[in-house]
Amino acid sequence: MRNILIAAAISLLLSMAGTPLAIRLFARRGYGQNIREEGPSGHYDKRGTPTMGGTVIVIASLIGYFTAHLSTALGGRVEPPTASALLVLFLMTGLGLVGFLDDFIKIYKQRSLGLRSGAKAAGQLIVGAIFAVLVVRFPNGYDITPAETRLSFLRDFGPSIGLLGFTIWVLFFIVGFSNAVNLTDGLDGLASGATCLVLAAYVLIGNWQLRNSCTVFFGPNCYWVRDPLDLAVVAAAVLGACFGFLWWNAPPAKIFMGDTGSLALGGVIAGLAFTTRTQLLLVILGGLFAIITMSVIIQVGFFKMTRRRVFRMAPLQHHFELSGWAETTIVVRFWLIAALCVAAGLGLFYLEWMPKQ
């Protein structure tokens, strides 16, 4: 618990103090947001707002996590970083780097599109494939690896799907959620606020799995998770950094996270889902991301079949913008939807654990 608090506090302070510095630095260098011509007209006023703020989230998260572990060494008891946590941080940083390249190209070439779609997908697939191969290795003293080649909902279930099948599943999940957060990042504070709620859920899940670990208390409802406490520390570190960034990203935003932040945050919640053995539960916890992604799929699919649109514009938040809703109204109401999804996911997680009468 001490590490969780330290990681969250350090990353929060660094993010809150570091984001204004990033705003001034990026503004001085002209690292401003370009706006798509086909986007809502109300977004034109946002042109030039500093972007790539996700770099602050990633750096603050890493410093917060490693500082928490350093504090244990200074206290006389060494708690080295765990394989599960390092793999999740690798996934976050790797996808953040892909997003950074995308953002930088947008700024350098002064256009709303950065990396070509093929290059961007290739970067996501390479980082995701490395994660998929490594996450089923590194067994601890109880022979528990960070993840198993099985599907999971509230815990692992069913037979192994093999390393190849598991890798394909991991890639689908990682690309899907990193792009889902990216699609959600269309209004000030929307993606960062919703991600904070999901990360808070994973802090609770990691703590609960620690208290009911099969390595401590063996029973029908215990959890075979390799490093639940350290995964909660990772979630807390990213939560603190994301919350500190939200202070400056809330409407009206002084800075945008860019693809650097959205891909990194999508990666970290996907990584936490695999290492806590709650892959399919993330679809409920991150229900807002799933809803927004589905709105794009429905819009594109329906248009290709009928040449007509279901929504005024996709992703879904822009439909409500064009319907006359104020941006802050959309953001707050979507946060409420995200909170309901998190509450539903945590409720299922807890009810499944309860001993059956």
Side-chain angles (χ1 to χ4, degrees), residues 197-212:
L197 293 168
V198 177
L199 289 167
Y202 274 111
V203 174
L204 296 176
I205 287 172
N207 266 291
W208 189 257
Q209 290 177 332
L210 172 69
R211 295 175 184 277
N212 299 279

Side-chain angles (χ1 to χ4, degrees), residues 318-341:
H318 298 317
H319 167 80
F320 290 105
E321 271 194 292
L322 295 179
S323 298
W325 288 28
E327 181 173 4
T328 51
T329 300
I330 300 170
V331 170
V332 172
R333 288 180 177 174
F334 274 40
W335 281 350
L336 293 175
I337 293 171
L340 289 173
C341 292

Side-chain angles (χ1 to χ4, degrees), residues 147-171:
E148 294 281 351
T149 56
R150 300 164 65 192
L151 300 181
S152 65
F153 179 40
L154 304 171
R155 60 187 76 241
D156 289 335
F157 66 87
S160 168
I161 59 176
L163 182 59
L164 178 59
F166 180 74
T167 301
I168 294 172
W169 172 238
V170 170
L171 292 177

Side-chain angles (χ1 to χ4, degrees), residues 12-247:
L12 172 64
L13 292 174
L14 286 175
S15 183
M16 286 200 70
T19 302
L21 298 177
I23 292 172
R24 289 195 289 271
L25 174 63
F26 294 161
R28 190 180 306 123
R29 292 180 174 271
Y31 292 174
Q33 178 73 30
N34 289 293
I35 304 299
R36 292 185 304 166
E37 295 297 330
E38 65 272 20
S41 58
H43 286 207
Y44 295 153
D45 292 340
K46 301 181 181 183
R47 189 186 303 272
T49 301
T51 187
M52 293 199 304
T55 54
V56 177
I57 297 175
V58 172
I59 293 171
S61 300
L62 293 173
I63 294 175
Y65 172 79
F66 286 108
T67 300
H69 277 278
L70 180 61
S71 70
T72 64
L74 296 175
R77 52 187 185 87
V78 179
E79 294 180 12
T82 61
S84 301
L86 291 177
L87 285 168
V88 174
L89 291 173
F90 160 77
L91 184 60
M92 176 188 72
T93 307
L95 291 176
L97 179 59
V98 174
F100 179 84
L101 293 174
D102 188 49
D103 287 334
F104 188 79
I105 290 173
K106 291 176 186 176
I107 293 166
Y108 183 75
K109 295 193 174 182
Q110 289 296 298
R111 64 187 191 192
S112 61
L113 296 175
L115 284 172
R116 295 185 182 277
S117 58
K120 187 175 180 179
Q124 292 172 293
L125 292 174
I126 290 171
V127 175
I130 295 172
F131 174 83
V133 171
L134 295 180
V135 80
V136 293
R137 301 178 184 273
F138 308 108
N140 63 3
Y142 297 94
D143 204 32
I144 307 174
T145 52
E148 294 281 351
T149 56
R150 300 164 65 192
L151 300 181
S152 65
F153 179 40
L154 304 171
R155 60 187 76 241
D156 289 335
F157 66 87
S160 168
I161 59 176
L163 182 59
L164 178 59
F166 180 74
T167 301
I168 294 172
W169 172 238
V170 170
L171 292 177
F172 172 78
F173 217 80
I174 289 173
V175 172
F177 264 94
S178 59
N179 287 332
V181 177
N182 186 253
L183 289 171
T184 305
D185 185 34
L187 298 181
D188 297 355
L190 179 56
S192 50
T195 306
C196 283
L197 293 168
V198 177
L199 289 167
Y202 274 111
V203 174
L204 296 176
I205 287 172
N207 266 291
W208 189 257
Q209 290 177 332
L210 172 69
R211 295 175 184 277
N212 299 279
S213 172
C214 294
T215 62
V216 177
F217 171 76
F218 187 77
N221 294 322
C222 65
Y223 299 97
W224 291 103
V225 176
R226 189 189 189 282
D227 308 297
L229 176 59
D230 215 25
L231 291 171
V233 174
V234 170
V238 185
L239 170 61
C242 197
F243 196 87
F245 178 79
L246 179 59
W247 182 271

